[in-house]
Amino acid sequence: MIRHVTSEPSFAKRKARDLLLVPFWNKGSEAQAAFRDVKGVRWNDWGVLRDFKAKEGEAVLYYDHGFKEKRLLLVGLGKEQDATAETFRRAAASAYEKVKGLKIQSLSLLPPVHHKIPHNQVEEAFLEGMLLAAYPLKSHKTGRSRGDADQLSEIALIRSVLAKQEIDALQKLTGAVFYARDLVIGNADDVTPSYLAAKARETAREFASVTAKVLGRSALKREKMDLLLAVSRGSKLEPKLIVLEYRGNQKSTHRTAVIGKGITFDTGGLNLKPTGSIETQRGDMAGAAAALALIRALASLKIKTNVTVVIPSAENGIDSASYKPGDVYRSHSGKTVEIANTDAEGRLILADAISYAIEKFKPAQIIDLATLTGAIIVALGHELSGLFSNDDALAAALTNAGEKTYERVWRMPLPKEYRSSLDSDIADIANSGGRPGGSIKAALFLQEFIGDTPWAHLDIAGTAYLPSKQKYLPKQGTGVMVRLLTRFFQDEADSGSR
Ligand code: BES
Ligand code: MN
Ligand code: ZN
């Protein structure tokens, strides 16, 4: 893991580290230096003479060179006119991939420059890609601990335009992302509802601006959260409703509720998931993990906003005590729900959490994060999260934050016609309306509990948990939505609207 990010004002006087990292643009068939001129070095010779074209993703390591570092790593950025912030994140990830596993503890980076994108944004993106790629994935292999293969712990930015504060902020943000990844990747037997509650309490102890409150089984009964209780009945683990409050703007009464699905393992319940679908379901608390990590990001960055996180958490297990298909339960809101399918459990616990949040906190807006449907993976794959919203301005702001952070979202419709698929003969609503348009129906179910509060639902089933490593994202837990939502709240605070 990269713990130290330092700056050095001079190329000539830099300390000798284990590696010198130099980015290049691809120009026609040649590589061209992609940083501000450094006197006395004919950089372009490196590109031209050494068969390096600087294509996106290209990274070439040299040992035989004239620099004071033992190794020289050239990394390609592709064509300058095609570049966006994401280009730099990805190039940094390719560079990291190349050095990972080598005995490199420190490196010096000549930060790239782009003629149109401001220097600080370019550098931030490159550094962010590097930091995110250097996530120490925990290994359960005997004799290996976390991130053993990766020794890199220091990056020095040569002639950087970034202030120490900007660098610190990036480290805090990526630290929060790692916090979410760890929770998602951790064993389901370890990351239980009680564990999430303990993490929330710990977070409140760590930050003066954060308070935590946890409701256990008896409190949930008192509060009539019967949907959450129903879902939890097939497991011996106690369900929890976790409330975390961040007050970063004491002067304002405005607050956003962020609700995160916290199913610590989803067997499907009596509508048991088949082999092939069940194996990834320890990640079904990725919404909760992102919400918890978001609070840590906001608090450590001291962002001027107020956010209340509500996490309904349970294990959707299987047992003779399990809640049953066909039975009817009363939600916290008073609406009755027929259980059409015990595997549509996420919307049940979210419904209780949403109406609880509205009753107790009267939030100005609600954002929920949930690995809600397999159907969103069919629709959007693993790159884009599904966004459903009853508010165009909120949807636009989230989409924008998604573009900036490249945690992209795609807005999905909420057509009224589909609501009738959730009609029940015996209850106010059923929790499943069949497979076609499954993600939309899940969102329409949630909307029933929202009323007229501006609301956005992010279905992250495809983006929170990956089948394989992607650029700077590890296999499995990505920590998606921590960066997007931090950006969203930062933008909101900057625009002075809160
Ligand atoms: N946790 C799942 C959704 C999911 C699927 C997340 C794959 C990550 C990867 C959710 O609780 C679920 O089971 N949804 C069902 C709903 C259906 C029964 C209406 C689904 O998507 O099949
Ligand atoms: Mn399920
Ligand atoms: Zn689930």
Side-chain angles (χ1 to χ4, degrees):
M1 189 158 102
I2 299 164
R3 292 181 193 284
H4 311 287
V5 181
T6 53
S7 300
E8 286 208 42
S10 154
F11 179 73
K13 293 190 193 134
R14 75 193 183 281
K15 213 175 105 188
R17 296 189 175 77
D18 297 332
L19 179 140
L20 176 62
L21 173 54
V22 187
F24 281 78
W25 293 116
N26 168 273
K27 196 129 193 221
S29 61
E30 290 178 12
Q32 193 170 84
F35 44 88
R36 280 166 296 156
D37 187 43
V38 177
K39 268 208 197 86
V41 187
R42 296 180 53 187
W43 284 105
N44 288 342
D45 292 352
W46 279 96
V48 177
L49 298 176
R50 310 273 170 145
D51 300 332
F52 167 69
K53 302 283 188 289
K55 291 191 181 131
E56 236 190 288
E58 203 179 342
V60 184
L61 190 57
Y62 297 102
Y63 294 89
D64 176 21
H65 57 73
F67 300 99
K68 60 171 89 165
E69 292 79 6
K70 289 190 201 91
R71 303 165 188 86
L72 172 67
L73 178 62
L74 308 185
V75 62
L77 300 167
K79 301 230 179 288
E80 184 169 1
Q81 67 267 26
D82 300 337
T84 64
E86 182 65 1
T87 307
F88 302 105
R89 290 188 201 100
R90 288 190 188 180
S94 326
Y96 183 78
E97 202 50 43
K98 197 83 188 170
V99 304
K100 153 177 196 209
L102 302 180
K103 288 198 165 53
I104 288 171
Q105 268 149 32
S106 61
L107 66 81
S108 298
L109 165 71
L110 275 171
V113 294
H114 186 278
H115 284 105
K116 296 221 179 81
I117 310 174
H119 292 337
N120 65 326
Q121 284 178 27
V122 170
E123 271 190 52
E124 272 182 341
F126 198 93
L127 183 57
E128 183 175 46
M130 210 59 191
L131 293 171
L132 287 170
Y135 172 67
L137 190 65
K138 188 179 181 315
S139 170
H140 295 281
K141 283 190 193 291
T142 310
R144 274 220 211 154
S145 66
R146 197 181 155 104
D148 260 6
D150 320 337
Q151 297 194 7
L152 181 64
S153 71
E154 187 204 347
I155 300 186
L157 307 173
I158 310 293
R159 305 195 311 173
S160 170
V161 297
L162 295 182
K164 182 169 182 328
Q165 199 192 331
E166 290 171 295
I167 295 172
D168 285 352
L170 263 181
Q171 288 185 287
K172 284 173 179 156
L173 179 61
T174 51
V177 173
F178 288 7
Y179 193 91
R181 290 179 181 179
D182 283 351
L183 288 173
V184 174
I185 292 170
N187 272 355
D189 275 349
D190 298 330
V191 183
T192 60
S194 299
Y195 184 87
L196 291 176
K199 287 288 170 189
R201 288 199 194 93
E202 204 178 274
T203 296
R205 278 196 298 277
E206 212 174 311
F207 300 99
S209 54
V210 179
T211 54
K213 184 177 154 182
V214 177
L215 279 60
R217 192 175 273 125
S218 57
L220 291 172
K221 280 185 186 148
R222 232 179 300 125
E223 293 289 345
K224 297 193 159 53
M225 314 265 298
D226 284 359
L227 296 181
L228 176 55
L229 286 162
V231 169
S232 78
R233 280 191 2 201
S235 168
K236 65 176 194 299
L237 300 177
E238 186 179 0
K240 303 281 183 189
L241 186 89
I242 302 161
V243 180
L244 263 179
E245 289 206 69
Y246 167 64
R247 295 221 46 169
N249 189 0
Q250 299 280 353
K251 288 195 204 100
S252 167
T253 55
H254 180 279
R255 70 163 118 200
T256 304
V258 173
I259 302 186
K261 174 179 173 183
I263 293 292
T264 59
F265 193 81
D266 183 10
T267 66
L270 290 174
N271 291 103
L272 183 62
K273 283 187 184 294
T275 297
S277 299
I278 202 168
E279 295 80 0
T280 59
Q281 293 300 319
R282 75 177 194 287
D284 210 17
M285 34 55 74
L292 179 46
L294 169 69
I295 289 286
R296 299 179 63 87
L298 297 175
S300 59
L301 296 169
K302 300 191 167 64
I303 291 175
K304 264 188 115 172
T305 189
N306 300 314
V307 175
T308 303
V309 156
V310 180
I311 295 172
S313 184
E315 183 176 68
N316 189 20
I318 184 163
D319 188 86
S320 66
S322 285
Y323 76 130
K324 318 250 177 336
D327 277 1
V328 175
Y329 293 88
R330 188 178 299 276
S331 67
H332 175 270
S333 75
K335 281 191 172 55
T336 54
V337 181
E338 177 187 349
I339 308 305
N341 191 318
T342 60
D343 198 11
E345 84 298 337
R347 62 198 77 179
L348 299 174
I349 68 167
L350 289 171
D352 271 1
I354 286 167
S355 73
Y356 179 88
I358 292 173
E359 182 195 293
K360 302 286 184 205
F361 308 115
K362 301 184 177 52
Q365 54 189 0
I366 297 179
I367 300 169
D368 79 77
L369 311 172
T371 47
L372 202 62
T373 64
I376 203 69
I377 311 178
V378 176
L380 299 177
H382 293 285
E383 291 275 349
L384 299 158
S385 302
L387 165 66
F388 298 83
S389 182
N390 61 4
D391 187 281
D392 290 346
L394 177 58
L398 288 166
T399 303
N400 186 258
E403 291 301 323
K404 286 188 192 164
T405 54
Y406 220 69
E407 293 191 336
R408 288 168 304 165
V409 304
W410 191 259
R411 189 161 179 192
M412 302 283 287
L414 290 162
K416 286 188 180 57
E417 293 76 10
Y418 293 30
R419 169 61 183 79
S420 60
S421 69
L422 300 170
D423 286 349
S424 161
D425 296 338
I426 50 171
D428 296 331
I429 192 167
N431 77 332
S432 169
R435 287 170 65 86
S439 305
I440 293 172
K441 289 169 186 169
L444 285 169
F445 181 91
L446 296 180
Q447 194 173 18
E448 292 288 316
F449 298 85
I450 286 291
D452 48 20
T453 306
W455 158 70
H457 156 56
L458 290 157
D459 194 337
I460 57 173
T463 49
Y465 195 97
L466 299 180
S468 61
K469 187 174 160 40
Q470 301 272 346
K471 45 194 183 160
Y472 47 81
L473 303 173
K475 182 178 159 90
Q476 306 181 344
T478 60
V480 73
M481 293 304 150
V482 177
R483 290 171 52 240
L484 183 152
L485 288 179
T486 304
R487 183 77 259 161
F488 168 81
F489 286 112
Q490 178 78 69
D491 286 351
E492 225 184 40
D494 288 349
S495 77
S497 58
R498 306 303 173 219

